[in-house]
Amino acid sequence: MAQEQRPDRAIPKDDRYSRQILFRGIGAEGQRKLADARVAIVGCGATGSALAGLLARAGVGTLRIIDRDYVEPSNLQRQSLFDEQDAAESLPKAIAAARKISSFNSGIVIEAKVEDLVPGNIEVLLEGMPLILDGTDNFETRYLINDYAVNRSIPWIYSAAVGSYAVTLNVLPGETACLACIFPDSPRGMVETCETSGILNSAVNLVASVAATEALKFLVGSVAQMRRTLLSFDVWTNERAEISAAKPRPGCRACGDRDFIHLAGEGRPHITLCGRNSVQIHERQRPIDFAELDLRLKPHGTVRHNDFVLKFWHEPYEMTLFPDGRAIIKGTTDTAVARSLYARYVGS
Ligand SMILES: [Zn+2]
């Protein structure tokens, strides 16, 4: 499902970008390049919100925001594009982000994609995007982005934050190290998640600020100014580290051997855990009629829907369905339980 919000008027001839144009690194020419630029942001939680907000205000002409999730009250502490009304309506994050951005910059194009980025749709979802920014919360999707980007020689910027720790890397395929050069396997320390370690909104905003600035450099053509290190920072302890990423690692699976196992989607399950006591069921061929399903589910629990999501509460479970048949089932980490709930109430 996609919703495109096209600007209904041209960029107004106001002085919106005047302070940015005054900055020597951007200038009038850089600002024109930003207006023509296209950037994909994969994941619009905390980091994705901050990235999208910064780049939208900076005047990046087209932002494609891809996110599979919906807004919840626990997001509001750090996910800067959402408000209480979005959480009350369980709006998909991509839709809520597009609405919020258009309220402060109606002169740019936001393409909202309510989808889970997987090997089967990555070509379509990232089509025509010369730069990819990481707003995800998991290494599986990051390795997928890395495989795609290295294979197609498209730059991308890795960003992550957990607890008080933030880390980021610019990947310029053919020149710098890629994510798999530095982390051949998911790093253990980063297996911590926001659910287990919590997160400071300031760690998120730090990493998003660094990554968004690197993106601006790329978009205005100042590639030489981009950082060639893996930069990490702990905003609580003030520990800071940088390791060189200037060159690919010999023997790297992705950029050396060009063995794109994540792009091939080997062993990719159709049911996955997605944090916070939830299971996601990926269904692609099951368009759902929310009005019809709403009636059918009413005798079995509380049900509510809008144009974007249908929510069904059946104690102790909470099921959120998207129009393409995808579901997030809260209240269990048992994939068999989730599968059977889905089969019983939606269809097998
Ligand atoms: Zn590599």
Side-chain angles (χ1 to χ4, degrees):
M1 182 184 68
Q3 174 179 310
E4 294 201 6
Q5 303 206 348
R6 296 280 167 191
D8 50 13
R9 59 197 163 90
I11 296 173
K13 294 205 183 311
D14 59 19
D15 62 353
R16 176 187 295 256
Y17 303 116
S18 59
R19 303 306 187 272
Q20 190 166 281
I21 290 169
L22 277 173
F23 175 69
R24 255 196 305 179
I26 305 278
E29 178 59 23
Q31 194 62 48
R32 277 191 289 277
K33 287 180 180 165
L34 294 183
D36 291 335
R38 302 166 63 78
V39 175
I41 298 174
V42 182
C44 194
T47 310
S49 274
L51 288 167
L54 288 167
L55 295 183
R57 286 187 193 272
V60 171
T62 300
L63 292 175
R64 183 174 298 166
I65 298 174
I66 304 157
D67 192 279
R68 66 184 186 186
D69 213 345
Y70 55 92
V71 182
E72 296 179 278
S74 68
N75 302 152
L76 301 179
Q77 166 252 1
R78 65 196 178 285
Q79 303 190 11
S80 54
L81 288 178
F82 312 131
D83 58 35
E84 292 177 358
Q85 187 62 32
D86 299 329
E89 292 176 28
S90 301
L91 273 188
K93 291 180 179 180
I95 301 291
R99 286 186 179 176
K100 183 59 54 68
I101 289 170
S102 65
S103 75
F104 64 75
N105 194 346
S106 59
I108 61 171
V109 177
I110 305 298
E111 300 175 357
K113 308 284 185 189
V114 185
E115 303 231 29
D116 190 19
L117 189 83
V118 292
N121 64 16
I122 189 167
E123 299 280 344
V124 173
L125 284 177
L126 296 180
E127 175 69 37
M129 291 288 130
L131 178 66
I132 304 162
L133 302 187
D134 169 22
T136 71
D137 59 0
N138 65 87
F139 258 83
E140 188 180 16
T141 310
R142 290 180 178 124
Y143 282 131
L144 175 62
I145 294 170
N146 189 66
D147 272 9
Y148 173 85
V150 169
N151 188 29
R152 304 276 290 261
S153 282
I154 296 168
W156 77 282
I157 302 178
Y158 158 65
S159 306
V162 63
S164 54
Y165 177 78
V167 57
T168 177
L169 170 74
N170 299 326
V171 177
L172 303 171
E175 187 194 332
T176 68
C178 79
L179 188 70
C181 288
I182 299 204
F183 303 115
D185 302 296
S186 299
R188 278 180 187 279
M190 293 302 291
V191 175
E192 292 178 76
T193 68
C194 302
E195 276 77 48
T196 59
S197 305
I199 185 159
L200 290 183
N201 54 20
S202 51
V204 169
N205 283 13
L206 174 75
V207 79
S209 288
V210 172
T213 310
E214 295 299 305
L216 291 180
K217 293 179 198 173
F218 176 80
L219 297 173
V220 302
S222 295
V223 177
Q225 303 289 322
M226 293 177 75
R227 211 188 57 257
R228 265 81 168 163
T229 63
L230 178 84
L231 171 66
S232 63
F233 204 103
D234 188 311
V235 293
W236 201 259
T237 63
N238 290 313
E239 285 166 41
R240 181 182 185 281
E242 264 187 287
I243 62 170
S244 175
K247 290 268 177 293
R249 176 176 56 81
C252 170
R253 170 189 57 74
C255 64
D257 300 345
R258 301 189 70 78
D259 180 12
F260 302 118
I261 52 173
H262 299 277
L263 207 48
E266 286 169 17
R268 181 101 188 181
H270 292 286
I271 304 183
T272 49
L273 296 179
C274 64
R276 31 143 234 230
N277 196 26
S278 303
V279 174
Q280 178 179 214
I281 297 187
H282 312 255
E283 287 278 348
R284 307 241 137 247
Q285 309 299 332
R286 186 189 293 277
I288 302 230
D289 180 337
F290 281 171
E292 184 271 330
L293 188 62
D294 193 307
L295 283 175
R296 195 147 58 78
L297 291 177
K298 273 221 160 69
H300 305 288
T302 306
V303 54
R304 207 179 71 194
H305 77 274
N306 55 30
D307 289 348
F308 310 108
V309 291
L310 179 145
K311 298 200 81 154
F312 172 53
W313 290 267
H314 178 81
E315 287 296 326
Y317 308 109
E318 177 189 315
M319 186 186 298
T320 303
L321 273 160
F322 297 89
D324 62 359
R326 193 165 56 83
I328 294 174
I329 295 165
K330 253 175 116 168
T332 183
T333 51
D334 185 333
T335 54
V337 167
R339 170 50 82 186
S340 102
L341 284 166
Y342 189 93
R344 189 179 325 150
Y345 294 112
V346 184
S348 52

